[in-house]
Amino acid sequence: MVNSQARPMIIDTDGGVDDALAIIMALNCEQIELKSVTVLAGNIDVHQAANNVLRVIDIVQPNQRPLVAKGCEKPLVRPPFNAAGIHGSDGLGELHQFKNADGSPCYPQLTIEPSSEDAIDVLVKAAQEYGSDLTIVALGPLTNIATALQRDRTTLQKVGRIVIMGGAVKVPGNISAAAEFNFFVDPDAAQMVMESGIPLTLVGLDVAMKAPLPRKDVENYAQKHPSAVAQFIGDCTGIYMAFYRDNEGFHGCYLHDPLAVGVAIDPSLVSTESVYMVVETEGKFTSGMSLADLRDRRDEATYPPNVEACLDVDTDRFLKLFYELI
Ligand code: RIB
Ligand code: CA
C-alpha cells in the first residue's frame, strides 16, 4: 500500500530478469508511488519487454497498477542488440516451460495490454506534472530518455533525478571489456543524457557486481516464504543464473536493476563521487564505455561534474531491503 507521502517514480526498463526483480521491489515499496513503467528494446524487443512488465504486475497484484507504455524499438543510431541469450528468448527465463500438474501453463497468455500511450509522451507529461518530485529509474538503454530530451528538453530538465543502472567507473565492462550492456546498446543516448543537465546518479558495475544473489538463496527464500512472487522469482531467474554459473563460475546473478531501485529508495546505501563523465560513441573497441575524469588535476571549471557515480555499496543493507521488498 502506498502511503500519502509517497514520492512519484517512473521506471524505464528493457524488460529482463533483473528488471522484473526491480519492478517487484518498486511495486511493494510504500515510500514510492510507481506512476508508470516505460519500456524499450534492450534485453529483449520492446513488445516482449512490455509483456514482461505486465506479467510482473499481474503476479504482484499491487493496489495501484502503474501505466505501462511502449517506447523505442531500437537505439538512436546503432543497430539493435539484445541479450536474449542471457535472459532467455522471452526475457524472463523461458516462462513457457513451466507447467502445472495438469499440464496447464503456470504462466498463461496475459489478457492485459500495455497502454496505447507513447512512452516518450508519458515521460514528458510526468516531468511536467511532477517536476523536481519525480525520480526516473532507468534500467535499460537510455534511448527513451534521450528521445524525450529531443522532444522537449526544457520539460525533461524539470525532473528531480534520474537513477541510471549503467556504465562502469573503475571496473571493466560486462558485454565488452570496455562497456556495460545498457550503455553499449545505445551509447549515443547515454551521452545525450550525460549532457542533459538533469541530476544523475550512476549505479554502475562498480556496485552492481557487489550485489550478488546466489541461486541457493533464491531456493531457500521460496521454501521459507512460499508465494506466487517467490515462485516466479525462482522460475524467471533459472536461465539467467545458469548463464553466470556456466560463464563466471557463480551460480546466481547480480542485482544490477534492483540496486538502482534500492538507491532511488535509499541513497545512503551507496557512496558516490561527483565526476565529469562521458560515454564513448565512436570507439572501434570502446563504444559504450563510460569514462569518468578521476584525475587529481581535473579541470572542473571547464568540465563540471555531471553525475554522482556510485563507487561502493553497503551490500548487507541493500540485500536486507531487497528481501523486505520482494
Ligand atoms: O548490464 C546490466 C544491465 O543490462 C541490466 O539493466 C540488465 O537488465 C541489462 O539491461
Ligand atoms: Ca535492464
Side-chain angles (χ1 to χ4, degrees):
M1 183 60 130
V2 172
N3 69 40
S4 58
Q5 305 301 316
R7 291 170 285 137
M9 178 185 285
I10 286 183
I11 287 180
D12 190 60
T13 174
D14 60 338
V17 173
D18 58 328
D19 304 71
L21 306 185
I23 293 166
I24 291 170
M25 289 175 68
L27 289 170
N28 287 333
C29 180
E30 294 177 350
Q31 287 77 35
I32 56 174
E33 185 173 354
L34 187 58
K35 294 288 187 181
S36 302
V37 180
T38 52
V39 184
L40 79 162
N43 285 318
I44 203 77
D45 69 83
V46 66
H47 308 290
Q48 184 65 49
N51 191 66
N52 293 350
V53 172
L54 292 168
R55 172 74 66 191
V56 173
I57 295 169
D58 188 50
I59 289 166
V60 173
Q61 290 289 315
N63 297 312
Q64 290 171 282
R65 287 173 169 255
L67 176 140
V68 177
K70 291 192 285 190
C72 299
E73 300 193 15
K74 58 184 173 40
L76 293 183
V77 176
R78 300 186 71 79
F81 183 91
N82 71 49
I86 300 174
H87 294 255
S89 60
D90 64 345
L92 284 183
E94 316 276 353
L95 289 180
H96 52 76
Q97 68 180 303
F98 299 102
K99 304 283 193 239
N100 295 308
D102 64 3
S104 62
C106 294
Y107 302 98
Q109 191 79 25
L110 290 171
T111 56
I112 43 180
E113 290 282 328
S115 161
S116 56
E117 264 203 273
D118 168 66
I120 312 308
D121 289 339
V122 169
L123 287 167
V124 173
K125 285 180 190 171
Q128 182 59 44
E129 181 173 355
Y130 304 111
S132 60
D133 290 340
L134 179 65
T135 300
I136 298 174
V137 182
L139 304 180
L142 292 171
T143 321
N144 276 352
I145 296 171
T147 304
L149 281 164
Q150 289 174 321
R151 189 167 299 176
D152 188 343
R153 183 182 185 81
T154 305
T155 301
L156 253 288
Q157 287 176 324
K158 295 177 180 177
V159 168
R161 180 163 294 273
I162 303 178
V163 179
I164 301 166
M165 194 285 128
V169 180
K170 296 182 176 179
V171 298
N174 52 10
I175 201 69
S176 78
E180 176 278 327
F181 178 82
N182 290 333
F183 282 17
F184 179 83
V185 170
D186 198 338
D188 305 275
Q191 179 54 23
M192 283 177 69
V193 174
M194 290 296 146
E195 295 169 346
S196 67
I198 299 170
L200 306 175
T201 299
L202 188 87
V203 181
L205 296 178
D206 306 77
V207 288
M209 300 306 279
K210 293 178 182 175
L213 180 66
R215 181 71 196 167
K216 63 179 172 43
D217 289 3
V218 169
E219 291 168 351
N220 292 340
Y221 178 81
Q223 280 175 356
K224 287 178 185 165
H225 309 277
S227 71
V229 170
Q231 182 64 50
F232 168 73
I233 292 173
D235 290 344
C236 79
T237 53
I239 287 175
Y240 191 47
M241 291 184 163
F243 170 83
Y244 281 103
R245 178 195 62 204
D246 301 340
N247 292 276
E248 300 194 9
F250 165 54
H251 194 192
C253 67
Y254 295 98
L255 294 168
H256 308 93
D257 293 341
L259 181 56
V261 167
V263 170
I265 294 168
D266 180 1
S268 73
L269 289 172
V270 290
S271 55
T272 65
E273 184 169 341
S274 289
V275 292
Y276 175 69
M277 177 177 280
V278 292
V279 178
E280 176 58 63
T281 60
E282 306 294 333
K284 180 177 178 183
F285 302 109
T286 57
S287 180
M289 180 179 184
S290 50
L291 179 62
D293 189 347
L294 301 174
R295 293 172 297 173
D296 291 338
R297 53 181 175 78
R298 64 193 86 164
D299 173 7
E300 292 199 353
T302 310
Y303 302 106
N306 57 344
V307 64
E308 290 292 326
C310 298
L311 296 179
D312 205 356
V313 55
D314 183 333
T315 300
D316 291 342
R317 245 181 2 108
F318 164 63
L319 289 174
K320 182 172 179 296
L321 177 65
F322 173 72
Y323 281 108
E324 282 170 4
L325 292 180
I326 57 174

